[in-house]
Amino acid sequence: SNKHPSYLDTIEPPETDSGPPTSIYKANATLVMLARNSDIDGAVRSVRDMEDRFNARHGYPWVFLNEEPFSDEFKQRVGVLIRGQKQFGLVPKEHWHQPSWIDENKASEARQKMVEDNIIYGDSVSYRNMCRYNSGFFYRHELLQQYRWYWRVEPDVHFHCDILEDPFLFMQTHNKTYGFTITMYEFDKTIPTLWSAVREFVQKYPQYVAKGNAMDFISENNGESYNLCHFWSNFEIADLDFWRGEAYSAFFDHLDAKGGFYYERWGDAPVHSIAAALFARKDQIHFFREIGYEHNPYTHCPAEEDSWVRGRCACNRERSFGEFSHAIFAHGDRVTWIMLTWVAQTTTA
Ligand code: GDP
Ligand code: MN
């Protein structure tokens, strides 16, 4: 053939090309992304960031999940970025779609009402399927059964710093259950009856509430009402066994039976957060302050200069949301006014 020699011919392929580097990773952990085929460009950006800033040094496996089969293009363009193992899984139909026992008239009336109220994703059934899936099903997927820890990654997020310490090993060594970088307030109109369902559960199963829990993060009045604080669940590093455990399984079933994922628009963020705050101890919830992270429109950038320098962070510390996240976690809703002032300043700038 008349193939021209290329400079690539002179480069030896790295050894890891011969197979997944199963001996490299140290925690029983996986990176997991739920995505649509149409999310391909964002998926590529997120995976590239994650591999370059962390995973190329570890080779943790990836699991991609979708309720439709991934396209060859998706598998190819995302797969090329990953040296280690990657698996593309199909979400079982019974884990995804609106259950038949949901009253569709009631559900569609609720969606219509949310459209009139201008609530984001108010009319979307697929968004509700996704929220319910992330709340109660992803950890049951067969591809995740072998793992203890996961890191949730969404399309089109950014990791702004080199991640020099392995967060999975950190979680394991320090007995952590749930890790976050950003906290947020939920739109109350998406969850009008969530808290009463939570209270009912707690009254029925007081034995599941942990001693030393983080109730003060989610309530200003020891549980009478919800202050809308939650961990922004598009970033999660957590223990799959916590979701698979007795307390959370009962909790999810209780919530699911209320139908609020469809009659309202309950998000996986408040559901996960309330569970972590009640069924884990506060010291099992960890703020990853050194992980620079961005999901539009918010960024967490490490506030400490040494960690920003060490991580070669490509984010602006002055525009970070994270310190407020941590303050909210530590002190509850009392910092609301600081945060709202800050949001007003940075979003109008
Ligand atoms: P937002 O962050 O709340 O605005 O919601 P996103 O649109 O980012 O969705 C959250 C996550 O679920 C992302 O990982 C999406 O790729 C994924 N997702 C959302 N809707 C669907 C869907 O209908 N099918 C699949 N397979 N993934 C979805
Ligand atoms: Mn998102």
Side-chain angles (χ1 to χ4, degrees), residues 34-36 39 65-67 96 121 126-127 130 152 154-155 295:
L34 178 72
R36 294 156 289 212
D39 291 322
L65 298 174
N66 188 351
E67 90 284 9
W96 188 265
Y121 303 118
S126 71
Y127 192 83
M130 179 276 290
R152 173 169 161 184
E154 280 198 1
H295 175 300

Side-chain angles (χ1 to χ4, degrees), residues 189-321:
K189 284 183 174 160
T190 65
I191 50 162
T193 69
L194 175 60
W195 192 251
S196 65
V198 171
R199 282 175 58 108
E200 200 182 290
F201 180 82
V202 166
Q203 264 149 30
K204 208 164 148 194
Y205 301 101
Q207 70 271 28
Y208 291 141
V209 177
K211 284 204 173 63
N213 60 59
M215 177 67 98
D216 60 345
F217 167 62
I218 54 174
S219 178
E220 306 310 306
N221 44 30
N222 200 30
E224 207 166 293
S225 61
Y226 178 40
N227 62 15
L228 307 175
C229 289
H230 63 273
F231 307 115
W232 219 22
S233 62
N234 48 69
F235 175 108
E236 281 182 334
I237 300 176
D239 183 350
L240 288 161
D241 284 348
F242 179 73
W243 309 127
R244 295 174 186 138
E246 203 181 305
Y248 188 78
S249 299
F251 183 66
F252 175 75
D253 288 346
H254 175 84
L255 296 186
D256 197 32
K258 299 286 178 197
F261 289 104
Y262 294 97
Y263 300 142
E264 296 177 4
R265 209 216 64 198
W266 295 354
D268 53 282
V271 170
H272 278 187
S273 302
I274 291 169
L278 295 181
F279 311 137
R281 297 188 314 270
K282 189 165 186 170
D283 63 66
Q284 292 177 296
I285 300 175
H286 182 69
F287 173 46
F288 277 105
R289 55 169 65 248
E290 70 286 357
I291 297 184
Y293 176 71
E294 178 173 350
H295 175 300
N296 188 43
Y298 299 115
T299 302
H300 164 66
C301 193
E304 301 74 16
E305 187 171 7
D306 60 330
S307 120
W308 184 78
V309 170
R310 224 179 324 117
R312 302 170 54 243
C313 295
C315 51
N316 182 348
R317 285 153 65 215
E318 275 152 36
R319 288 202 44 203
S320 179
F321 204 74

Side-chain angles (χ1 to χ4, degrees), residues 107-261:
S108 67
E109 268 171 38
R111 296 195 299 271
Q112 198 44 48
K113 177 84 180 33
M114 284 202 188
V115 172
E116 286 156 22
D117 286 349
N118 267 319
I119 294 168
I120 186 170
Y121 303 118
D123 64 340
S124 173
V125 177
S126 71
Y127 192 83
R128 287 173 172 79
N129 293 340
M130 179 276 290
C131 289
R132 179 169 174 265
Y133 184 75
N134 275 324
S135 298
F137 295 95
F138 81 97
Y139 52 86
R140 308 188 210 191
H141 196 281
E142 58 167 310
L143 292 179
L144 294 185
Q145 290 320 299
Q146 61 173 297
Y147 301 114
R148 168 83 191 269
W149 307 98
Y150 72 99
W151 187 334
R152 173 169 161 184
V153 182
E154 280 198 1
D156 216 5
V157 299
H158 303 284
F159 296 95
H160 286 307
C161 313
D162 286 344
I163 299 162
L164 301 168
E165 190 183 3
D166 181 340
F168 294 126
L169 286 181
F170 178 87
M171 298 286 289
Q172 186 172 294
T173 309
H174 296 91
N175 233 314
K176 302 289 181 186
T177 299
Y178 190 91
F180 68 96
T181 49
I182 294 178
T183 65
M184 192 66 54
Y185 290 96
E186 186 55 294
F187 305 109
D188 51 359
K189 284 183 174 160
T190 65
I191 50 162
T193 69
L194 175 60
W195 192 251
S196 65
V198 171
R199 282 175 58 108
E200 200 182 290
F201 180 82
V202 166
Q203 264 149 30
K204 208 164 148 194
Y205 301 101
Q207 70 271 28
Y208 291 141
V209 177
K211 284 204 173 63
N213 60 59
M215 177 67 98
D216 60 345
F217 167 62
I218 54 174
S219 178
E220 306 310 306
N221 44 30
N222 200 30
E224 207 166 293
S225 61
Y226 178 40
N227 62 15
L228 307 175
C229 289
H230 63 273
F231 307 115
W232 219 22
S233 62
N234 48 69
F235 175 108
E236 281 182 334
I237 300 176
D239 183 350
L240 288 161
D241 284 348
F242 179 73
W243 309 127
R244 295 174 186 138
E246 203 181 305
Y248 188 78
S249 299
F251 183 66
F252 175 75
D253 288 346
H254 175 84
L255 296 186
D256 197 32
K258 299 286 178 197
F261 289 104

